[in-house]
Amino acid sequence: MTFLPDHAHARRRRTQARAFGQVVRNARLRKGLSQERVAHDAGITVYTYGGIERGRSPRGGEVNPTFDTMLRILLATTPIAFALREVMPGTDLAAVSHPGIGVAVWFHATDVQVIHEALVADGHTITAEPIDGPFGRTFTFADPDGYRITLHDRA
């Protein structure tokens, strides 16, 4: 482990704070949200959110949001698709061959084809080969418990 002198450590923290602030600002602007809306959705004050976006506190000091605050900001600015549906009529869950029947888990990823090739090389079960469709390059694999996970590269 490398230990940095205090001034180098502080400089690194400031750089990271500015980078995080830029990420959340760009996400907010992409979604067309105001600082007020994101602050409200994240459960923090606009004053605090503005400092996080700038990478420094409004008084010019170091900004140090908690992990919980950072997560709430990211959830407020980044789309996370989630849907539930009823089990299809006639489905006998006790007789299915794998867990998660009727569960659709999709993740957006970059380099979907590369991920597919790596999973195949490692011997993972691919349940739907890659295709190009409305969600871009898409394929489905079984996780170690048998749940089907679909990756796509178009948001």
Side-chain angles (χ1 to χ4, degrees), residues 61-132:
E62 191 173 303
V63 65
N64 190 19
T66 65
F67 177 78
D68 183 60
T69 298
M70 290 189 295
L71 181 60
R72 285 185 282 131
I73 289 170
L74 291 173
L75 289 174
T77 57
T78 305
I80 298 176
F82 183 76
L84 295 174
R85 69 174 186 199
E86 295 291 325
V87 175
M88 298 297 292
T91 302
D92 180 4
L93 294 176
V96 297
S97 62
H98 66 276
I101 197 79
V103 174
V105 180
W106 287 56
F107 291 107
H108 175 257
T110 56
D111 297 324
V112 167
Q113 188 63 43
V114 172
I115 295 168
H116 171 266
E117 291 165 6
L119 289 171
V120 168
D122 285 346
H124 292 274
T125 302
I126 305 299
T127 60
E129 291 296 326
I131 61 165
D132 292 312

Side-chain angles (χ1 to χ4, degrees), residues 132-146:
D132 292 312
F135 297 101
R137 193 73 172 158
T138 305
F139 79 96
T140 305
F141 66 97
D143 80 355
D145 292 319

